[in-house]
Amino acid sequence: MPEYILALDQGTTSSRAILFDRQGQPVASAGHPIRQIYPQSGWVEHDPQEIWESQLASAREVLEAAGARASQVAAIGITNQRETTILWDRQTGEPLANAIVWQCRRTAPLCQELKERGLEPSFRQKTGLVIDPYFSGTKVAWMLDNIPGARARAERGDLLFGTVDCWLLYKLTGGRVHATDYTNASRTLMFNISRLAWDEEALSELAVPSSLLPTVLPSCGVFGQAEPSLLGAALPIAGIAGDQQAALFGQACFQVGMGKNTYGTGCFVLMNVGHDSLPLGSSLVTTIAWGLGQGVEYALEGSIFIAGAAVQWLRDGLGLIATAAESEALAASVPSSDGVYVVPAFVGLGAPHWDPRARGTIVGITRGTTRAHLVRATLEAIAFQTRDVIETMESECALTLPELRVDGGAVANDLLMQIQADILGREVVRPAVTETTALGAAYLAGLAVGCWQGQDELTGKWRVDRRFQPQMDASQRDELYQGWKRAVERAKGWASE
Ligand code: ADP
């Protein structure tokens, strides 16, 4: 049996490739940043060819870096930035335009129109999502209506739609396979997450012809074989999942009630809720966690837009620190934030508040406030936002998270992790491998080709680096959290547009 699994991790800011061994340990990695294209305020695009070429280059480089031949690779797993939308020509494989990225707000007017027509409850019930420009459906509709000739070509059956996983799969297989997995389909606003099929009614409301759509397959299973000329062998592409679901899988959150938080630019909290998609309140979305064969499992998801990005702002916007890592020592130089709260609502607030008009706010400043207090209050804000989401999750699904598994770039900050345990009043657990997104994709692919026997074996591989126990007493925790809630109220509804 070949000894490696190749994970392709196509993210918002870079395309990376990581080679994992049979123990699930990363052996080598390679990556390339990708260009962010901002044609207008609030619009974000990527070049699909650049996505493909940078991903292919990373895959070739990681093999070279490890001194591995393609014959030593058992399978390829793909994980990707979700929701980003690409249309291309069925015959030539040429993209019609740049990809519309998940962050792009250009379809806000269309979303508004759909909401005014009272369609939100039905979309929510079928797709698990809220009507928001974030998801793919309105992006496809926008392309069909705004790229000259696109709608006519789509109606003739000449075009294909795909999220980034689907595009990479198509390119890797030399245009032979047009498919996606359940997790990515569940972010399109067009997929019925209970019936596990494209939803005719949603498609008709969005005016998207079904001929565009890829086949939807389980996240774990062989999707196709890579063109031998690309990497040196006809490697099976055997696992696909969107980045946040892949991280949940990589964290081995296989039991109902287990959850993880990824601390990157934003924070994404996902909790495994099992085989039933839940009827929901209005604060979170339901998403497919993965499909391993027959049927799927679901997750509740809370997306926090600004987390590590607030630390970047301390560095680049305010110049209070020289590196993100420096935030730890500076925050640790004071015993508390001394009543200061920073609400980093720079682009409004996501889950559970969903207030696009909220704006960044700092309250509680006195003459004694120093930059150390501001930095500490910013780290606390990441932890408070996470508590907001987790409390909402627990009350919506009547489950209690026993511990919080964490990953992402900012989990290197021990103080942040301790603050999180204190504010949550629960254990925070950092695993030994924090590249959980790529690991999740490798696990899905490796399971499909028999590298690992099943989820129990993967559970056995998950290793703790460090556990952070809550140390703060309950009354202090409550007092701090009440202060946060008051600060959030001050931040809401600020922008007039
Ligand atoms: P993404 O995948 O969203 O680009 P990463 O997982 O690479 O993000 O994490 C990078 C983010 O984490 C940045 O926003 C950065 O400010 C933050 N970060 C990195 N190291 C630290 C640290 N030691 N303390 C606090 N924040 C950090």
Side-chain angles (χ1 to χ4, degrees), residues 263 406 410-411 413-421 428 430 468:
Y263 298 76
V406 298
V411 303
N413 188 322
D414 288 346
L415 179 65
L416 172 62
M417 295 298 101
Q418 185 57 49
I419 290 173
Q420 184 69 80
V428 166
R430 185 170 64 197
F468 297 85

Side-chain angles (χ1 to χ4, degrees), residues 229-300:
S229 60
L230 294 172
L231 294 170
L235 300 175
I237 297 117
I240 294 184
D243 52 10
Q244 299 307 324
Q245 287 96 329
L248 190 69
F249 202 80
Q251 286 273 28
C253 290
F254 301 142
Q255 307 294 326
V256 172
M258 291 176 83
K260 66 89 197 174
N261 191 13
T262 301
Y263 298 76
T265 305
C267 273
F268 292 86
V269 186
L270 269 75
M271 185 199 255
N272 183 332
V273 295
H275 292 284
D276 300 313
S277 67
L278 298 164
L280 279 183
S282 54
S283 316
L284 302 166
V285 303
T286 310
T287 206
I288 296 181
W290 44 74
L292 298 183
Q294 297 300 312
V296 299
E297 287 171 73
Y298 297 92
L300 277 186

